[in-house]
Amino acid sequence: NRTIDNFYGDSDTGLVPEYLPGPWSEGDTCPGCRAQPDPSKAFRGTWSDTTHHGGDPETEARIIKISFTGTAVYAYNIIANYIEWIDTLTNLSFILDGEDTHRPYVHSPTSSTDYEYDVNIFTQENLENTDHVLEIHGVGDTTPSLVLFDYAIYT
C-alpha cells in the first residue's frame, strides 16, 4: 500500500494532490480557519480545508484531484460536527477516471463538538492496474459543504 498525504503527497512518487479552484487552506497552519482538528490525530499532522458555499452560482465545486497507479483506492477525511458560527455539513461526490461514481458521501453534523478522524469517504477496489485519477468534489445546492481532506491510500 502507498499513502498520498494531502500536503506531503505520494509516499512513492512524491506527487501531491491538485486542489481546484481556490481558496484552499493548509488546515494545520490556518489561524483564520474555524475548523481546528487536533493535528496529532491527522495523518502526518496535516489536512486541507475549504468550504463550498452552496446556493451561490459564482461558487464552483471544490475539487481534489489524486493521481495514482493501482488496483484500489481509499480516501479519508477529518469530519467536523458542531462548530459555533459555521456550517459543518460535508457533502462530497466522486469522479473516477472521468466517470461519476454515483456514490456520494454526506455527513450531517451532530451536536457533539468532537471531530472524527480517519473517516473513509470513498473506496473503490477491483480496478485495472493502470493510471487513475480520483476527483473528490465538495458540493452543495443550498448549504455549504466543509471539506477537511486528510489522505488517500492506494494498492
Side-chain angles (χ1 to χ4, degrees):
N1 290 344
R2 304 278 191 255
T3 304
I4 303 172
D5 181 68
N6 71 293
F7 180 77
Y8 295 104
D10 190 311
S11 61
D12 188 48
T13 67
L15 191 61
V16 175
E18 186 177 359
Y19 298 93
L20 303 166
W24 281 88
S25 298
E26 191 52 45
D28 59 305
T29 60
C30 179
C33 295
R34 304 260 323 154
Q36 292 291 321
D38 181 345
S40 72
K41 295 181 180 178
F43 183 75
R44 297 194 69 184
T46 65
W47 64 92
S48 296
D49 179 321
T50 194
T51 299
H52 172 265
H53 294 281
D56 180 355
E58 299 298 315
T59 303
E60 299 177 67
R62 300 294 190 250
I63 301 170
I64 305 159
K65 292 177 84 171
I66 301 167
S67 299
F68 66 98
T69 302
T71 60
V73 63
Y74 312 87
Y76 297 86
N77 270 24
I78 299 169
I79 299 296
N81 284 296
Y82 176 78
I83 301 173
E84 190 173 28
W85 308 112
I86 69 168
D87 233 318
T88 55
L89 173 81
T90 298
N91 186 2
L92 306 171
S93 65
F94 305 91
I95 307 292
L96 182 61
D97 299 332
E99 299 289 328
D100 190 335
T101 66
H102 302 287
R103 295 188 333 234
Y105 175 89
V106 178
H107 172 79
S108 295
T110 69
S111 59
S112 169
T113 57
D114 293 339
Y115 290 89
E116 299 171 34
Y117 299 88
D118 302 308
V119 175
N120 178 248
I121 56 168
F122 181 79
T123 295
Q124 181 65 56
E125 298 174 324
N126 301 313
L127 296 169
E128 288 187 38
N129 192 13
T130 187
D131 294 344
H132 301 283
V133 176
L134 173 64
E135 295 181 17
I136 303 170
H137 291 231
V139 296
D141 293 332
T142 59
T143 59
S145 178
L146 177 65
V147 182
L148 302 174
F149 174 67
D150 197 4
Y151 63 98
I153 294 174
Y154 67 94
T155 302

